[in-house]
Structures are given as structure tokens and as C-alpha cells.
Amino acid sequence: MSIQRVAIVGPGLLGGSIALALRGRKEVSVAIWARRPEMVEELKAMVIAQYTATKLSRVVRDADLIILCTPIEAMPELAREIVGAAKPGAIVTDVGSVKATVVAELGSIFKGGPRFVGSHPMAGSEQTGLRAARADLFRGATCLVTPDADSDAAAVAELGEFWQSLGCNVRHLSPAAHDEAVALISHFPHLLAATLVNVVAERQDTAFDFCGPGFRDTTRVASGPPEMWAGILAANSTAVRGALDAMIEKLREIANILARDPADPAIRTLLTHAQQRRANVRFPNSPNV
């Protein structure tokens, strides 16, 4: 791998997991930026980087690859500081789960400077923070690399090689296609899980006393941090609204069938099609359940 010096901007779940995955590789050195001095001390105690600091310019100045692992709303301000500190030819990427707005804004900031290419490792969790990080988080996960018309082809290839070295299966999507797909399989399901919890709470709060594994598994993602998810839903609101409209239409169709004839075979057909399609989905880093 041609990338030998990696700067991680933000040591949360993903940033910390990248550092842990790289720890012990003699050919790669890692520097980590954290906003708070207390976090810098925690990182030093964990010994997962050669250098940690609150001074962003010092962390990124020698890096071949700079990875933004912060909330997406914080990225533009950090990018403006990075652009004047990074060395010529450096690659910059991010791990945000929204790409169209991020690629457009950061691409503009880095135009003529470091080579920016968006990416999104599909390896998150409802858990957050450095304490949840683990070295095998990316093993078997899909990483979506999202170049646009201005992306440097060599940077796209090097970035893909980097994610592969962490165990990811790399796929390329346009930023817009990424946001449509991720709205359907991540952002909308989170909103659906949160809504389900709230419906139960409003209609019969005591029902929570009888919850089993089905409700637990269906609503697991609703445990994610509200601040982060509010930002994601706002940034990808158009695609999420499209998914919501499709679900509302489908639920209306089901409600009409149940009102007309609860024994209508259309319900069994719907359930059968869902069962068969779900059986063919392969989930990384977990048993196929």
C-alpha cells in the first residue's frame, strides 16, 4: 500500500477503529486529532497512534491520507483548516453517511489542493465513541467510495486499496446514488425504528414490559445518538422523504386489504416475498439471521 502516513480527524467509533486496525503495522504511522485535551490523553494511554494532538495542522501536515471522522456538519470548518496545512498530493476522505452535500462542499474547499474523494464504510453501530471502537470493525464490511467528475483517478484507486487493506469490500457509487441507497437501508430504517418505539410508548407504554427479541432486533438502531441522526436525516432529507412516501403508500395498501378482508391471500403473498428476499441478503460481520 502506497499510503504510509494516516491522519485521523476525530477518534470516535470509526476513527478509533481505523487506528486500532492499523496498530502494529510497521509500514504505516498514525496521527490522531481530538478536539479535547482529555481525549488526547486517553488516546496516548491506549497507544494506538504515533502522534496525537489538539492542533489540527500538526496532525495532518505529513499525512498521505487524511480521514475526516467527525459529524458531517463539522467537516467544512475542519476542511478549511486542513487545506492550508496538508502536503501537496495528500488524499482527503471522510466516513460520513451522506455524500452528495459532503462531496460537493468539501470538493469545492479542496479544489486545487489535497485530492478529496468521499467514502462511507458501512460498519457503524448504535454504539458510539472511542470505547466502542474495535480493530475488526471493517472486516467484511462494504465501503462505498463515491468519486465525482472532478475526482483524481489515482486518488480513487489508492483510497480503495486502503479500505481493502482494512478488510472492506469496496464498491463505487456516485454521491447521489449512494444517498438514495443508504436512505433505504440505513437512514429510513433508523427513523422507522424510532417511530415504532414512540408509537408503542404513546399507545400502550406497559407493552414494553413484554418485549421479546423481535422487538429488540427491530428497534436496536433507535438506540443511536439523536444529535448525530438528526444531522444525517437533515442532510439526506430528500432521499429519506422518498423512502417514507414509498412506505406510507405500501402501509396504506396493507391497511386497505386488512379493512376489506383480513384473510386476503395478498397478505400471505407479501410476507412470503419478504421472507424469500430477506433470506438472500448477506450481512457482513454477523451470522446470516
Side-chain angles (χ1 to χ4, degrees):
M1 189 174 65
S2 59
I3 294 169
Q4 297 179 326
R5 293 179 295 277
V6 176
I8 297 169
V9 181
L13 170 64
L14 294 179
S17 295
I18 293 169
L20 287 170
L22 294 173
R23 184 165 62 177
R25 296 191 187 184
K26 295 180 180 179
E27 73 280 11
V28 179
S29 65
V30 175
I32 303 178
W33 172 84
R35 193 177 297 277
R36 296 180 292 108
E38 311 91 86
M39 180 58 70
V40 169
E41 294 307 312
E42 185 174 347
L43 288 163
K44 288 179 178 177
M46 292 177 67
V47 196
I48 61 173
Q50 282 70 36
Y51 181 71
T52 60
T54 58
K55 185 71 172 177
L56 183 57
S57 59
R58 292 179 182 174
V59 169
V60 304
R61 63 187 176 188
D62 296 320
D64 301 312
L65 173 64
I66 301 165
I67 309 173
L68 286 158
C69 301
T70 66
I72 54 179
E73 57 267 25
M75 290 180 184
E77 180 183 350
L78 294 167
R80 293 185 187 97
E81 189 172 347
I82 290 169
V83 74
K87 69 180 185 180
I91 300 170
V92 182
T93 192
D94 73 294
V95 297
S97 69
V98 179
K99 286 273 94 68
T101 55
V102 169
V103 169
E105 188 163 12
L106 297 193
S108 176
I109 292 171
F110 289 115
K111 194 173 183 64
R115 300 172 292 166
F116 177 77
V117 182
S119 56
H120 178 202
M122 303 290 289
S125 167
E126 74 279 7
Q127 299 177 339
T128 60
L130 182 60
R131 299 293 177 88
R134 58 180 217 265
D136 65 347
L137 184 69
F138 305 103
R139 195 172 302 154
T142 296
C143 182
L144 301 174
V145 175
T146 59
D148 64 3
D150 296 324
S151 298
D152 179 85
V156 173
E158 289 181 70
L159 183 61
E161 184 181 354
F162 170 78
W163 287 117
Q164 287 174 343
S165 78
L166 299 190
C168 291
N169 300 311
V170 174
R171 299 282 297 274
H172 290 178
L173 282 179
S174 71
H178 166 279
D179 288 358
E180 289 282 349
V182 174
L184 288 166
I185 63 170
S186 177
H187 303 166
F188 168 62
H190 186 96
L191 191 58
L192 194 62
T195 303
L196 174 58
V197 172
N198 288 336
V199 166
V200 174
E202 292 166 8
R203 288 185 64 85
Q204 191 181 138
D205 190 64
T206 55
F208 288 124
D209 296 337
F210 320 126
C211 289
F215 188 83
R216 177 198 64 203
D217 295 344
T218 302
T219 60
R220 176 183 59 80
V221 294
S223 299
E227 299 83 4
M228 181 188 80
W229 276 100
I232 290 171
L233 293 170
N236 201 23
S237 61
T238 299
V240 172
R241 286 200 313 271
L244 274 171
D245 289 342
M247 176 61 83
I248 290 168
E249 184 64 29
K250 183 61 68 174
L251 289 175
R252 280 203 192 96
E253 178 184 327
I254 295 168
N256 289 336
I257 293 172
L258 290 174
R260 183 179 66 248
D261 179 7
D264 192 315
I267 298 296
R268 180 184 292 272
T269 299
L270 180 150
L271 296 172
T272 300
H273 286 169
Q275 179 194 51
Q276 292 172 345
R277 194 66 186 91
R278 174 63 165 70
N280 291 326
V281 177
R282 291 293 176 262
F283 297 95
N285 295 331
S286 66
N288 193 51
V289 294

